Amino acid sequence: MNKKEDWSVLIGLTEQIKQCDAQGLVTPSIAMSFICIDAMASLARPSGKSRVTRADFTGWCDKYLKSNTKQQYQYSGKDVYAARCALLHTYGTTAELHDKSDIMKFLYHDCNHLMHQLYAEENTVAISTKSLVIDVCNAVHSFIAECTSNASLGDLVVSRLDEIITVVPY
């Protein structure tokens, strides 16, 4: 299998997220973004570790998930994890982790502008869903780039690619 084929399942995942966003499917694009991060963190977890953990998720976010430098808000793995839990577990914006004062609460907007709006006094940020999609897809591309330049990470991730759902035509 050549390297281009190795990464097609990950590129396919980002393409599905972009398709949701392009069709105006806001909640699915956000949910798929969090699912994508979960999948990438699982692929990158240390060898010998059978399951992905919160630490793997937050570590992956802190390393790869970056906002545009002009954004008021720069992602924190802890914030993203709390937002993920809120959406995926309760279809909400608040999770148990938000009881901690250092965790930002995400609200979402699908306005035409791509800026996140920070409300520091309320410990809240209004996340541009379009920017989130772009940022997650860019993070996956950065992750793939590191996998192709770092043989040990690349081999580890390639050995786990069969854990990722592959959609085939029928």
Side-chain angles (χ1 to χ4, degrees):
M1 189 179 326
N2 70 41
K3 289 293 183 190
K4 186 166 178 69
E5 290 172 336
D6 290 347
W7 311 119
S8 63
V9 67
L10 304 185
I11 300 299
L13 178 53
T14 63
E15 291 304 314
Q16 288 183 50
I17 296 168
K18 290 177 192 175
Q19 286 176 16
C20 285
D21 181 59
Q23 293 178 32
L25 302 172
V26 175
T27 302
S29 67
I30 297 168
M32 287 300 298
S33 293
F34 291 144
I35 291 166
C36 180
I37 295 168
D38 267 327
M40 297 307 112
S42 182
L43 291 171
R45 72 188 185 274
S47 61
K49 194 172 182 184
S50 63
R51 300 210 186 274
V52 68
T53 63
R54 178 188 304 181
D56 299 318
F57 183 101
T58 60
W60 193 92
C61 287
D62 289 338
K63 185 169 186 174
Y64 299 104
L65 185 61
K66 306 297 179 198
S67 295
N68 178 302
T69 57
K70 295 178 182 168
Q71 291 283 15
Q72 289 182 327
Y73 173 76
Q74 298 297 315
Y75 298 105
S76 157
K78 294 186 303 183
D79 296 344
V80 177
Y81 188 80
R84 166 223 176 264
C85 291
L87 183 77
L88 298 180
H89 296 299
T90 66
Y91 190 60
T93 58
T94 304
E96 184 178 331
L97 289 169
H98 288 108
D99 292 343
K100 297 180 181 181
S101 62
D102 65 333
I103 305 290
M104 295 292 286
K105 180 179 176 181
F106 285 11
L107 304 176
Y108 304 96
H109 72 82
D110 62 349
C111 300
N112 289 331
H113 66 87
L114 298 175
M115 296 304 290
H116 303 316
Q117 282 298 132
L118 183 63
Y119 303 99
E121 66 280 354
E122 298 170 24
N123 218 30
T124 301
V125 60
I127 296 290
S128 160
T129 59
K130 292 190 180 306
S131 283
L132 177 65
V133 166
I134 291 166
D135 297 340
V136 168
C137 292
N138 287 342
V140 171
H141 288 285
S142 295
F143 177 60
I144 291 169
E146 184 168 351
C147 288
T148 59
S149 67
N150 176 333
S152 61
L153 177 62
D155 291 344
L156 176 66
V157 170
V158 167
S159 75
R160 293 176 170 160
L161 285 176
D162 63 346
E163 298 173 7
I164 302 296
I165 292 174
T166 303
V167 177
V168 295
Y170 59 91

